[in-house]
Amino acid sequence: MAAESTHLRTLLLSLSITASLTGAAHRAHADSSDVDVSAFEYIDVVETSDGSIWKGVVVEQQPNVRYKIATADGSLHVIQAADVVKLTKQKNPSYHAVAAAPDPTRTPDPTRTTTTTTPSGNGLVGRYHSHSDLPAPYATAGLRIDPEFDTVIPLGTLSQFMTNTSFGAGIRVGYEFLFGNFGLTAGEQTRVTWWGLPGNAGDVAWTLETLAYARAALHLGRVAPYALVAAGLDTNYEYSHMLDMSNTSLGFGLDLGAGISIAATPNLAFDIGADYHAPTDSLNSQSPINASSEYIAMHVGASLRL
C-alpha cells in the first residue's frame, strides 16, 4: 500500500511539472504570436558572435543582459547581450501596411513600434525612430578626435598687408551625443596658422586658436552634414627680422563653420569643411593700426569615433 502511495505521488509530481513546462512554453509562444512581424516597415537584425543572424522584432531588451526577438515564423528567441556583435535595422521585405484603426484601450509599447537600439560592446548607447524615413545613423555616441589640415585665405587687413594664402593644422577633441539622427558635439579645438608673409624670409607670424566648440550634425547613414561654432582665445605672434623685435597679443577668437563627414567604417570618417574666423582680435597690441586676424580656413581631415 505504501509503495502504491509513493508511486501515485511521483506520478502526480511528474504531471504537475509537465503541465508547468507546457504552460510556460505556451506563454512564451503567446508573447511572440501577437507580434505580426510583417506589420513592421523596419525589422531588427541581431548578429551574434557565432555568426548567426536573427531577423524580426525585438520585443524585450535588458541592457547588458539579454534581448528577446520575435521572428516571422512566430517563435521567440532569447539572445544574451554578451553574444551580440551588432544590432541594426533593415527594410522589411514582407512589410504590409495595417489599415485597421488603433485600439484606444491599448497602451502603445514604444519598444515594439518606434525604436531600435545600437549596442556598443554589450550595452545600449543610442536610439533612433524607425517611423522616420531617414536612414539609420552610421555612428554611435562617444568620443570624437578630429585632426585636420587647413588652407587659410586671409581677409580684411591681413589681405591688405599682402599676406599670402597660408597653411595650418589643428585638432578637435569632443564628445558627441546622439538623439535619433541628430548629433550634438561639445569639446575643445586647437589650430595654429603659420602665415605666409611676403618679403624678408626672416619675418615670422602665426596665430594659435584655443577655442571651445559646439557642433550640430544630421546623420544620414554614412553621411553627416554639420554646422559648428567655436569661441575662446587667440594668441597672435609677430617677429620682424629687420627690427629684431617680436610681439605677442591675446584676443577673443570666434569661428563659424560648416562641413560634411563621410564614414568609411563605424569608427572612422573623413571630413571636409570650412570656417570663417571673425575679426574679433588684434594681431599686434602695440601697433596704432587695428589689424585683426580675419580669414577663411578650408580643411580636410579625419574623425576617429571611439
Side-chain angles (χ1 to χ4, degrees):
M1 186 68 178
E4 292 180 359
S5 177
T6 301
H7 177 72
L8 181 59
R9 285 197 299 269
T10 303
L11 180 59
L12 291 175
L13 179 60
S14 300
L15 291 174
S16 177
I17 293 174
T18 302
S20 298
L21 293 176
T22 302
H26 177 74
R27 286 192 299 272
H29 188 270
D31 288 340
S32 61
S33 63
D34 64 346
V35 179
D36 182 5
V37 175
S38 62
F40 290 78
E41 184 176 1
Y42 291 86
I43 57 174
D44 299 296
V45 181
V46 181
E47 299 180 31
T48 58
S49 56
D50 63 358
S52 300
I53 299 177
W54 302 91
K55 297 183 179 182
V57 177
V58 173
V59 296
E60 182 180 330
Q61 53 195 9
Q62 298 181 31
N64 298 318
V65 181
R66 65 180 182 178
Y67 302 93
K68 286 185 180 181
I69 183 168
T71 53
D73 61 0
S75 59
L76 183 68
H77 303 274
V78 178
I79 304 173
Q80 300 303 315
D83 297 329
V84 175
V85 175
K86 190 177 182 182
L87 178 57
T88 56
K89 282 275 189 182
Q90 73 172 38
K91 275 277 191 178
N92 187 355
S94 61
Y95 167 71
H96 63 82
V98 179
D103 183 358
T105 64
R106 183 174 180 180
T107 302
D109 183 355
T111 64
R112 293 190 179 185
T113 59
T114 60
T115 65
T116 186
T117 58
T118 303
S120 175
N122 296 329
L124 305 178
V125 297
R127 292 177 180 264
Y128 68 89
H129 293 279
S130 62
H131 63 258
S132 172
D133 291 332
L134 299 178
Y138 201 69
T140 59
L143 181 67
R144 304 290 186 255
I145 302 176
D146 305 336
E148 67 180 34
F149 176 78
D150 301 270
T151 299
V152 184
I153 302 174
L155 300 173
T157 52
L158 278 177
S159 62
Q160 293 170 14
F161 290 158
M162 298 179 64
T163 302
N164 299 321
T165 297
S166 305
F167 301 96
I171 188 170
R172 289 187 298 273
V173 179
Y175 191 94
E176 183 173 24
F177 299 90
L178 284 180
F179 305 93
N181 288 84
F182 297 94
L184 182 62
T185 308
E188 192 272 341
Q189 168 182 308
T190 299
R191 178 169 63 197
V192 60
T193 300
W194 194 270
W195 295 108
L197 301 177
N200 195 320
D203 292 342
V204 175
W206 51 257
T207 297
L208 172 65
E209 302 173 35
T210 308
L211 314 176
Y213 81 93
R215 182 171 70 180
L218 176 62
H219 289 269
L220 303 173
R222 293 177 182 265
V223 179
Y226 64 83
L228 176 147
V229 60
L233 181 67
D234 276 354
T235 303
N236 295 294
Y237 175 84
E238 290 183 283
Y239 172 75
S240 172
H241 178 74
M242 183 177 65
L243 300 176
D244 192 24
M245 294 179 60
S246 65
N247 176 74
T248 301
S249 64
L250 302 177
F252 174 70
L254 177 65
D255 281 350
L256 302 173
I260 188 169
S261 291
I262 302 175
T265 72
N267 300 111
L268 175 64
F270 297 99
D271 187 272
I272 184 170
D275 61 80
Y276 169 67
H277 188 79
T280 54
D281 60 358
S282 178
L283 287 170
N284 190 330
S285 59
Q286 300 177 359
S287 172
I289 301 176
N290 183 22
S292 300
S293 56
E294 181 183 7
Y295 49 88
I296 292 178
M298 298 180 293
H299 72 262
V300 293
S303 178
L304 302 178
R305 299 170 171 178
L306 306 176

